[in-house]
Amino acid sequence: RRLEDALTWCLEMEPWRISVEVEKGVAHLSGRVPSPEYAREAEDLIRWHPEISNVVNRLTIEERASARAEGLTA
């Protein structure tokens, strides 16, 4: 839970966006983020924790509303 709190604070995101589950030192990230940069930042922040040996990043990137609209009109 503390890792999730740290992510939401550092990335200035809503707390429901990212979930972190840790098993034997491996952190599994899941949820939705607005860009690939957010996904990389989240992974990097978790990786720095001294008790984390590896990170499995399953974060998905949200499609921007404008990109969806472009797809509908093109």
Side-chain angles (χ1 to χ4, degrees):
R1 180 74 193 145
R2 282 192 249 157
L3 289 172
E4 289 174 355
D5 291 342
L7 281 178
T8 58
W9 184 79
C10 290
L11 298 177
E12 298 179 353
M13 293 178 46
E14 297 88 354
W16 50 265
R17 286 186 168 268
I18 299 177
S19 174
V20 181
E21 293 184 25
V22 179
E23 184 179 329
K24 297 180 182 178
V26 178
H28 297 265
L29 304 179
S30 60
R32 298 178 66 84
V33 293
S35 70
E37 291 78 16
Y38 275 89
R40 262 192 311 278
E41 286 284 328
E43 183 175 337
D44 289 345
L45 286 167
I46 295 299
R47 203 175 288 282
W48 290 340
H49 192 282
E51 295 180 21
I52 300 298
S53 60
N54 198 8
V55 178
V56 177
N57 189 339
R58 294 191 179 127
L59 293 170
T60 56
I61 310 306
E62 293 178 337
E63 186 178 351
R64 291 187 347 246
S66 61
R68 284 193 303 260
E70 289 172 13
L72 292 175
T73 60

